[in-house]
């Protein structure tokens, strides 16, 4: 019997999943598939908490599918080879999946689509990771927006442009309507559960870093605009970023919850769409400054100072607390991400790509589009970037957002003792040096 496959990637849930829904509605039974991609995994350390998280989620997905009489086929290998193997084992009609906008993923999908076409196997991809993608939010001439504020205005207008009524009579934007996947579970390929490769099989070790819950409680949401900038507040932010990254929650569901309850939170979701669209339209930003003239900056790139920054030993408490939080739990508060990035690129004049790469290694919620966008914003080289002469003052940032040193004392036990290092650079001198360096490059 011919089957279709649904390829899970950054959409690790059975509910409200666009591509999975389209596959389930097709005329052939649907066999879910997940691939631990060696092109990505081979570059990671053996103790990477993201792989443990993925591994646990994949087990959870398989159990849910088993309850529906189906299975999740899990492979460890190179996607092109895996799909060749699947196409030889099954009478495969088509692959369904959701779009990924990163350069590697786009190239991978292009190659696999061509590979499958040789055997008359179709490849269908759908929008699920974002609310709007490709050319859905553009200027009147069709060009993409590269400044956030006008983009966000058109984004919101687009959201309101088509309103539907739900079964309960409530009105909802067409773009936020959930996909009723469970209504079509009867079209899952009925088969027995198979074994999943172990972490050890893939060269990884189990880690114990705690993962935030997937829920967004109303108290956090409603107070988000007032609390999000204070890193010492336990529930100042939603901590859902890892779940957005891997699609264990629905972006539509959370946008619907934010709409009408907290515009600041909704704007953060719009930033996510914005940076994803920038990466999709301008893939050069992975390796180069969006504003080309910023590639002329003469970075100092002092390795000892970079290591001090990585270790949280710069002598600037708000910077060091952030880096130590990152190193300890794979997370850093967003306000502190901006402060640490500004300090590295402006105070130390170290290339933003060094910092971006370090965050990529450490962040549980690492997302190329958002991380790249944030780092280029801090360096002044990106879209919508702050002027190069706007340099965060670590002292005033600490005074404003950690007035009583609660965050700092949590992550720097030796703070205010002789064991804590002196500042590795003097603020006023560093600021003047930065301005001079940037002016020289941008003249």
């Amino acid at each position: 019997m011919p089957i279709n496959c649904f390829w899970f990637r950054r959409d690790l849930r059975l509910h409200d999943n666009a591509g999975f829904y389209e596959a389930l509605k097709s005329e052939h039974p649907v066999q879910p598939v997940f691939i631990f991609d060696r092109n990505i995994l081979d570059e990671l350390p053996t103790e990477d908490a993201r792989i443990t998280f993925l591994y646990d989620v994949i087990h959870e997905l398989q159990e849910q599918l088993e309850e529906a009489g189906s299975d999740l086929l899990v492979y460890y290998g190179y996607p092109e080879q895996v799909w060749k193997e699947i196409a030889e084992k099954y009478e495969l009609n088509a692959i369904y999946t959701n779009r990924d906008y990163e350069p590697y993923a786009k190239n991978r999908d292009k190659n696999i689509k061509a590979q499958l076409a040789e055997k008359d196997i179709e490849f269908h991809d759908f929008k699920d990771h974002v609310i709007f993608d490709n050319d859905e939010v553009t200027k009147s001439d069709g060009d993409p927006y590269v400044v956030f504020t006008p983009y966000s205005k058109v984004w919101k207008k687009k959201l309101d442009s088509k309103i539907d009524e739900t079964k309960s009579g409530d009105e909802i934007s067409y773009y936020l309507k959930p996909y009723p996947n469970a209504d079509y579970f009867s079209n899952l390929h009925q088969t027995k559960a198979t074994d999943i490769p172990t972490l050890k099989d893939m060269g990884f070790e189990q880690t114990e870093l705690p993962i935030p819950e997937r829920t967004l409680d109303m108290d956090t949401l409603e107070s988000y605009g007032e609390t999000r900038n204070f890193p010492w507040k336990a529930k100042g932010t939603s901590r859902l970023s890892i779940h957005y990254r891997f699609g264990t929650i629905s972006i539509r569901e959370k946008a619907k919850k934010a709409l009408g309850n907290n515009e600041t939170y909704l704007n953060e979701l719009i930033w996510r769409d914005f940076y994803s669209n920038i990466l999709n339209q301008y893939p050069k930003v992975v390796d180069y400054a969006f504003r080309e003239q910023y590639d002329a900056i003469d970075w100092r790139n002092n390795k000892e100072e970079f290591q001090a920054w990585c270790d949280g030993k710069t002598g600037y408490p708000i910077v060091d607390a952030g880096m130590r939080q990152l190193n300890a739990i794979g997370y850093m508060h967003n306000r502190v991400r901006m402060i640490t990035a500004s300090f590295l690129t402006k105070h130390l004049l170290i290339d933003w790509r060094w910092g971006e790469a370090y965050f990529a290694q450490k962040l549980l919620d690492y997302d190329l589009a958002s991380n790249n966008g944030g780092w280029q914003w801090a360096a002044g080289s990106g879209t919508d970037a702050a002027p190069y002469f706007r340099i965060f003052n670590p002292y005033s940032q600490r005074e404003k957002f950690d007035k009583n040193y609660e965050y700092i004392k949590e992550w720097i036990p030796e703070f205010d003792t002789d064991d804590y290092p002196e500042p590795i650079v003097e603020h006023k001198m560093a600021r003047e040096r930065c301005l001079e360096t940037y002016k020289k490059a941008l003249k």
Side-chain angles (χ1 to χ4, degrees):
M1 179 184 296
I3 65 167
N4 291 329
C5 283
F6 178 72
W7 183 6
F8 282 100
R9 285 134 40 134
R10 298 181 60 173
D11 47 12
L12 303 178
R13 65 190 187 282
L14 300 187
H15 71 283
D16 193 14
N17 184 317
F20 190 35
Y21 173 75
E22 297 296 338
L24 290 169
K25 282 179 58 186
S26 67
E27 63 176 306
H28 299 298
V30 177
Q31 175 59 63
V33 172
F34 179 81
I35 302 170
F36 281 104
D37 186 345
R38 289 195 59 182
N39 288 319
I40 299 172
L41 269 61
D42 286 356
E43 302 296 320
L44 302 178
T46 57
E47 294 187 5
D48 192 305
R50 292 167 293 194
I51 303 305
T52 295
F53 170 75
L54 270 177
Y55 191 73
D56 291 341
V57 169
I58 293 308
H59 270 280
E60 181 182 309
L61 273 179
Q62 189 184 55
E63 289 171 1
Q64 292 171 353
L65 287 164
E66 190 175 354
E67 290 176 4
S70 188
D71 182 30
L72 178 64
L73 297 180
V74 181
Y75 295 85
Y76 168 64
Y78 302 102
E80 290 88 347
Q81 295 177 5
V82 169
W83 284 113
K84 181 180 179 181
E85 178 184 336
I86 292 175
E88 290 173 351
K89 184 176 181 180
Y90 297 92
E91 187 177 341
L92 184 55
N93 175 71
I95 292 175
Y96 288 73
T97 194
N98 289 311
R99 293 185 199 118
D100 191 330
Y101 306 95
E102 296 185 3
Y104 161 71
K106 289 168 67 177
N107 188 57
R108 173 200 62 202
D109 289 356
K110 179 182 177 182
N111 292 338
I112 290 174
K113 185 175 183 178
Q115 172 186 313
L116 295 171
E118 294 178 0
K119 296 188 176 183
D120 294 323
I121 299 171
E122 298 173 352
F123 185 97
H124 305 289
D125 63 0
F126 300 88
K127 176 188 68 174
D128 183 77
H129 185 65
V130 293
I131 303 298
F132 297 118
D133 72 358
N134 296 338
D135 57 354
E136 290 188 286
V137 177
T138 62
K139 300 177 184 177
S140 56
D141 60 3
D143 286 345
Y145 282 102
V146 297
V147 176
F148 176 75
T149 299
Y151 173 87
S152 67
K153 289 179 180 177
V154 176
W155 190 101
K156 291 174 183 177
K157 187 176 181 180
K158 177 85 172 178
L159 194 72
D160 293 336
S161 67
K162 195 173 180 182
I163 303 296
D164 287 350
E165 194 173 272
T166 65
K167 292 179 181 178
S168 61
D170 297 328
E171 290 189 339
I172 183 175
S173 169
Y174 164 81
Y175 300 101
L176 301 184
K177 287 180 67 175
Y179 291 90
N181 297 60
D183 292 351
Y184 297 88
F185 279 2
S186 59
N187 199 31
L188 284 165
H189 185 219
Q190 300 297 297
T191 184
K192 293 182 179 179
T194 54
D195 292 335
I196 294 177
T198 67
L199 284 172
K200 189 175 182 180
D201 290 338
M202 299 186 289
F204 290 94
E205 300 292 335
Q206 182 88 20
T207 61
E208 303 298 333
L209 282 185
I211 302 297
E213 296 292 328
R214 303 181 194 185
T215 56
L216 175 58
D217 67 81
M218 287 304 296
D219 288 343
T220 299
L221 178 60
E222 290 174 352
S223 62
Y224 181 79
E226 293 75 44
T227 62
R228 70 186 182 118
N229 277 311
F230 300 97
W232 49 271
K233 284 186 176 288
K235 288 194 172 183
T237 62
S238 70
R239 292 291 306 275
L240 289 176
S241 49
I242 186 173
H243 299 294
Y244 287 124
R245 164 64 179 85
F246 291 105
T248 48
I249 58 176
S250 162
I251 182 66
R252 290 173 292 278
E253 179 184 281
K254 295 301 182 282
K256 179 177 179 289
K257 196 169 184 178
L259 192 65
N261 286 306
N262 195 293
E263 187 157 357
T264 304
Y265 193 90
L266 183 66
N267 281 338
E268 292 302 307
L269 299 183
I270 301 174
W271 271 107
R272 184 174 172 275
D273 271 21
F274 177 68
Y275 280 141
S276 181
N277 192 53
I278 291 296
L279 179 63
N280 187 41
Q281 299 282 355
Y282 304 97
K284 70 163 191 172
V285 297
V286 174
D287 299 306
Y288 299 98
F290 179 83
R291 300 170 185 245
E292 294 179 2
Q293 65 269 38
Y294 281 75
D295 281 326
I297 292 173
D298 185 19
W299 302 108
R300 291 177 61 251
N301 290 343
N302 183 294
K303 292 182 179 179
E304 291 182 359
E305 292 180 357
F306 178 68
Q307 192 61 52
W309 177 84
C310 292
D311 295 339
K313 295 182 178 180
T314 67
Y316 283 80
I318 192 69
V319 173
D320 294 342
M323 297 307 297
R324 295 191 194 190
Q325 182 184 32
L326 174 65
N327 292 332
I329 64 172
Y331 170 80
M332 188 193 297
H333 186 276
N334 189 60
R335 165 58 57 175
V336 188
R337 293 187 197 199
M338 292 190 284
I339 296 170
T340 57
S342 175
F343 185 84
L344 184 76
T345 56
K346 302 289 181 65
H347 281 69
L348 301 184
L349 280 175
I350 291 177
D351 195 328
W352 61 267
R353 283 160 280 230
W354 289 31
E356 198 276 344
Y358 190 75
F359 273 29
Q361 294 172 24
K362 296 291 184 177
L363 283 171
L364 287 175
D365 62 13
Y366 172 70
D367 176 273
L368 174 57
S370 295
N371 196 51
N372 180 279
W375 271 96
Q376 293 224 41
W377 180 90
S381 62
T383 63
D384 215 77
Y388 74 86
F389 50 80
R390 187 179 299 166
I391 301 170
F392 277 16
N393 181 328
Y395 297 119
S396 59
Q397 290 286 310
R398 195 281 310 161
E399 173 67 24
K400 189 173 182 179
F401 299 113
D402 191 27
K403 188 177 182 67
N404 297 320
Y405 297 90
E406 294 173 67
Y407 178 69
I408 287 168
K409 289 178 180 178
E410 179 182 0
W411 294 106
I412 308 178
E414 78 277 19
F415 174 70
D416 216 15
T417 72
D418 291 340
D419 293 329
Y420 185 64
E422 292 294 319
I424 62 173
V425 64
E426 197 270 323
H427 169 66
K428 184 178 179 182
M429 182 281 294
R431 185 179 187 282
E432 292 173 352
R433 180 178 64 185
C434 174
L435 292 173
E436 182 181 344
T437 302
Y438 270 62
K439 283 179 183 177
K440 185 177 179 181
L442 303 176
K443 63 183 178 180

